[in-house]
């Protein structure tokens, strides 16, 4: 091992930060030394915990305290507002590190190829989530003009989207929801949110905790349809799975509830496959085809089409990763091809290049799963000493000098702490967890303390 192993991690979400932490601990156990530089294209760290987890999920956002400890451990440096492939290239990393780990996640919507999907009023969940989480790179306003809305997919993202659309905005107030988002939601005329699963009520991807939360929304009725239940011939056998049993019990309880008093409704539809977004210059309906079990564990269309009147459609059918310049990419699966985290080009390993998190295995699994993922990747990296890069200049000063020479306004850990404290301070007088600073230039200015922040 070199005197100090130098590793770059691209992506400062949970996957990248866990990888840094596990690497730091593993090298220390071997009696070695490591220095890790985390590069992030946003000025703030924490990836999907800051910009993907819904603002009314403070428990999950709490993961940030553990991630922050890693950033402040002294072994890891943070370089925010640095775009891989623009501000820094693979060749730069080769010149200054022994290896790189890509942990860039998946932030785009998976494509859905049905007629009308590009109509105005048809949106990807990823964009909407970015908006309600105050992502600096999306517009500040969101067109919330529909009274009836369809959400496609029955995963946790679909539930986040449906909940944020149906929830009365005043019930979001103690959270860190950005001010522009509250304003947008307050103007929303929504009365009905329809969530569609293409399979049955026991084939959902969301988790029981997140489902239960819907039933607790104030002044929102949960509406289920009898025709969707008792369709799957294996229903009873499948309830041997505890998670399925819990979900089925929650849904059954809701079916017994009185409805009609609430001003908003959240409908759950199953056995409904989206086939067309209907409309001329805007969405007027979602066309679904009813489905049924095909007897082999899958589904088949029944040929029965129905138009559900809606004025907006949100696709929450999964995320998809983006390719990185100079790094192999599997266009079909949306991942960097790899064997246990070791990046491969065809069948040949690419020396010095590793992947972890959603870019490694696809956009499934909870945040905690990226830990075991990172462990596997780090094991490969440490076993590969003979194929690591030999950097020309491994000095820690080389990177800040390079970024300065290229005119990059990078942010560091001290800058993040400054921004973090600033946001918490903005929230305090209003009894809010924080008020997020949304514009990128303002985030950078506060982090770099070069200008007075505008409120
Ligand atoms: P997901 O869990 O994979 O769910 C995707 C949903 O879209 C599934 O119901 C899937 O149905 C459906 N779907 C896929 N293609 C479709 C198509 N062509 N037409 C209709 N429906 C289609 O993905 P996700 O919701 O994006 O979540 C990603 C990960 O993040 C998950 O592990 C999730 O648990 C996690 N997450 C957790 C939270 C939380 O609060 N705990 C919040 C957000 C995300 P099929 O099953 O039939 O394919």
């Amino acid at each position: 091992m070199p005197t100090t192993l130098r590793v770059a991690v691209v992506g400062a979400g949970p996957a990248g930060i866990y990888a840094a932490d596990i690497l730091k601990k593993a090298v220390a156990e071997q009696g070695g030394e490591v220095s890790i530089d985390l590069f992030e294209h946003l000025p703030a760290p924490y990836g999907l915990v800051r910009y993907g987890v819904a603002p009314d999920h403070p428990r999950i956002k709490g993961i940030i305290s553990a991630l922050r400890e890693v950033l402040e451990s002294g072994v890891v440096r943070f370089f925010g507002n640095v775009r891989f492939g623009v501000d820094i290239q693979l060749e730069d990393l080769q010149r200054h590190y022994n290896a790189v780990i890509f942990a860039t996640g998946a932030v785009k919507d998976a494509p859905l190829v049905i007629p009308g999907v590009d109509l105005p009023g048809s949106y990807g969940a990823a964009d909407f989530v970015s908006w309600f989480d105050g992502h600096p790179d999306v517009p500040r306003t969101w067109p919330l003009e529909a009274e009836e809305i369809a959400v496609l997919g029955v995963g946790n993202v679909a539930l986040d989207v449906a909940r944020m659309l149906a929830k009365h905005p005043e019930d979001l107030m103690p959270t860190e929801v950005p001010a522009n988002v509250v304003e947008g939601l307050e103007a929303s005329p929504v009365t009905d949110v329809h969530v569609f699963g293409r399979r049955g009520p026991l084939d959902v991807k969301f988790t029981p905790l997140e489902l239960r939360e819907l039933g607790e929304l104030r002044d929102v009725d949960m509406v289920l349809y009898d025709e969707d239940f008792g369709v799957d011939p294996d229903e009873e056998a499948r309830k041997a799975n505890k998670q399925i049993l819990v979900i089925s019990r929650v849904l059954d309880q809701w079916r017994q509830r009185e409805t009609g008093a609430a001003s908003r409704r959240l409908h759950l539809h199953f056995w409904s496959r989206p086939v067309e977004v209907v409309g001329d210059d805007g969405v007027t309906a979602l066309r679904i085809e009813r489905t049924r079990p095909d007897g082999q564990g899958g589904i088949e269309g029944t040929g029965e089409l129905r138009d559900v009147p809606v004025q907006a459609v949100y696709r929450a059918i999964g995320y998809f990763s983006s390719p990185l310049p100079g790094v192999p990419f599997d266009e079909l699966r949306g991942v960097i091809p790899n064997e246990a985290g070791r990046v491969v080009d065809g069948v040949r390993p690419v020396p010095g290049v590793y992947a972890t998190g959603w870019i490694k295995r696809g956009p499934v699994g909870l945040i905690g799963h990226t830990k075991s993922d990172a462990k596997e990747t780090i094991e490969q990296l440490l076993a590969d000493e003979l194929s690591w890069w030999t950097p020309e200049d491994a000095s820690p000063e080389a990177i800040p000098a390079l970024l300065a020479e290229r005119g990059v306004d990078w942010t560091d850990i001290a800058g993040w702490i400054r921004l973090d404290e600033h946001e918490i301070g903005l929230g305090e007088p209003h009894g809010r967890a924080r008020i997020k600073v949304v514009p990128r230039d303002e985030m950078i200015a506060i982090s770099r303390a070069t200008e007075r922040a505008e409120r």
Side-chain angles (χ1 to χ4, degrees), residues 52-53 57 60 111-112 152-158 160 196-199 203-207 210 272-274 316-319 358 363-366:
V53 172
H57 276 175
I60 309 181
L112 176 68
L152 312 184
V154 280
N156 279 326
V157 172
D160 279 348
F196 293 90
R198 59 180 168 180
R199 300 189 282 147
D203 303 307
V204 292
K205 293 270 174 68
F206 50 66
T207 35
E210 281 63 32
S272 300
R273 161 160 88 192
I317 61 159
Y319 284 129
W358 279 4
V364 282
L366 303 178

Side-chain angles (χ1 to χ4, degrees), residues 21-317:
D21 189 37
I22 290 166
L23 176 63
K24 170 175 81 82
K25 288 177 178 152
V27 173
E29 263 172 37
Q30 293 180 7
E33 281 191 19
V34 63
S35 94
I36 303 163
D37 287 347
L38 266 172
F39 293 95
E40 167 61 50
H41 75 113
L42 290 167
Y46 309 138
L48 275 187
V49 185
R50 184 171 159 97
Y51 290 118
V53 172
D56 58 345
H57 276 175
R59 188 183 54 81
I60 309 181
K61 295 238 182 226
I63 292 172
I64 282 179
S65 352
L67 301 179
R68 180 173 169 152
E69 273 179 34
V70 181
L71 292 187
E72 291 179 9
S73 66
V75 172
V76 180
R77 293 192 299 180
F78 173 68
F79 291 94
N81 198 38
V82 178
R83 293 158 302 172
F84 176 81
V86 178
D87 302 317
I88 199 148
Q89 313 288 345
L90 191 60
E91 302 77 59
D92 299 317
L93 300 180
Q94 254 162 339
R95 215 165 290 135
H96 300 290
Y97 298 90
N98 297 107
V100 59
I101 304 170
F102 287 101
T104 46
V107 290
K108 288 203 176 135
D109 288 291
L112 176 68
V113 187
I114 57 171
V117 77
D118 294 324
L119 276 173
S122 168
Y123 310 105
D127 293 335
F128 183 57
V129 169
S130 292
W131 174 73
F132 69 55
D133 255 338
H135 193 294
D137 299 340
V138 297
R140 294 297 100 83
T141 54
W142 189 271
L144 286 161
E145 288 141 14
E147 288 182 13
E148 295 149 308
I149 302 176
V151 178
L152 312 184
V154 280
N156 279 326
V157 172
L159 294 199
D160 279 348
V161 167
R163 192 180 68 254
M164 287 297 287
L165 287 167
K167 196 167 185 165
H168 291 280
E170 55 268 35
D171 296 337
L172 286 168
M173 280 324 280
T175 73
E176 60 173 58
V177 63
N180 64 303
V181 174
V182 176
E183 239 170 73
L185 292 170
E186 274 169 348
S188 165
V190 68
T191 57
D192 292 83
V193 177
H194 297 266
V195 178
F196 293 90
R198 59 180 168 180
R199 300 189 282 147
L202 305 188
D203 303 307
V204 292
K205 293 270 174 68
F206 50 66
T207 35
L209 197 66
E210 281 63 32
L211 177 67
R212 278 210 189 94
E213 209 182 333
L214 295 185
E216 289 155 16
L217 296 180
R218 184 180 61 81
D219 190 32
V220 178
D221 275 344
M222 292 304 302
V223 184
L224 290 112
Y225 296 85
D226 285 343
E227 63 174 352
D228 288 335
F229 293 83
V231 177
D232 184 346
D234 299 326
E235 211 165 282
E236 282 317 307
R238 296 188 57 204
K239 287 184 194 163
N241 174 308
K242 191 152 175 265
Q243 179 152 323
I244 291 183
L245 177 68
V246 174
I247 284 173
S248 128
R249 281 191 181 150
V250 173
L251 295 177
D252 283 343
Q253 279 164 16
W254 291 349
R255 289 173 68 200
Q256 312 306 322
R257 276 192 191 174
E258 283 285 321
T259 56
S263 68
R264 291 181 175 180
R265 287 156 295 281
L266 208 162
H267 309 247
L268 296 183
H269 303 265
F270 299 98
W271 308 109
S272 300
R273 161 160 88 192
V275 291
E276 185 174 346
V277 180
V278 183
D280 293 323
D281 8 300
V283 176
T284 55
L286 174 76
R287 183 162 301 153
I288 57 101
E289 180 185 15
R290 293 289 290 170
T291 60
R292 64 184 164 219
D294 65 1
Q296 292 164 46
I299 50 162
E300 61 187 13
T302 62
E304 181 194 343
L305 299 179
R306 290 185 192 169
D307 283 3
V308 182
V310 292
Q311 301 80 48
V313 173
Y314 289 73
R315 310 178 293 281
I317 61 159

